[in-house]
Amino acid sequence: MATSIGSIGEFNPANESFPSYCERLEEYLLANNIGVLSDQASAAETATANRSKVSVLITLIGSKVYSTLRDLCSPQQPKENTLEDLIDGT
């Protein structure tokens, strides 16, 4: 199993803004080569990379924030969106 570089805890609005959290998340994804694509990536590769990024966000943000995210995305589920849509929609 690969070792990840760095760590990100749950999002806590008392300690950090959501844009700041997202900036750290994007750097975490980059440092761990999650969802990184070449310029020649196919549509399927792009979809898989995005799904990986969204999955990381969902598993890291915490249950309370995830519940809010679900409400904001309804009737879709958060996993049906791109990371950019989830971040920009906030």
Side-chain angles (χ1 to χ4, degrees), residues 18-46:
F18 193 67
S20 175
Y21 183 84
C22 291
E23 289 170 8
R24 292 189 317 112
L25 173 66
E26 289 172 353
E27 293 304 314
Y28 177 83
L29 295 170
L30 182 62
N32 288 286
N33 202 32
I34 299 169
V36 176
L37 295 168
S38 71
D39 292 338
Q40 295 83 27
S42 69
E45 290 169 325
T46 301

Side-chain angles (χ1 to χ4, degrees), residues 4-13 16 18 20-32 34 51-67 69 78 83 86-87:
S4 64
I5 298 171
S7 65
I8 293 182
E10 292 183 4
F11 171 64
N12 183 343
E16 182 175 24
F18 193 67
S20 175
Y21 183 84
C22 291
E23 289 170 8
R24 292 189 317 112
L25 173 66
E26 289 172 353
E27 293 304 314
Y28 177 83
L29 295 170
L30 182 62
N32 288 286
I34 299 169
R51 182 69 182 98
S52 295
K53 292 178 191 178
V54 170
S55 184
V56 170
L57 172 66
I58 289 170
T59 60
L60 292 177
I61 60 173
S63 60
K64 186 174 181 179
V65 178
Y66 178 71
S67 180
L69 186 61
L83 181 65
L86 294 175
I87 289 173

Side-chain angles (χ1 to χ4, degrees), residues 67-88:
S67 180
T68 300
L69 186 61
R70 280 196 63 165
D71 291 344
L72 291 170
C73 290
S74 183
Q76 291 183 315
Q77 292 185 2
K79 69 181 181 179
E80 297 171 11
N81 292 275
T82 65
L83 181 65
E84 291 76 19
D85 287 343
L86 294 175
I87 289 173
D88 292 341

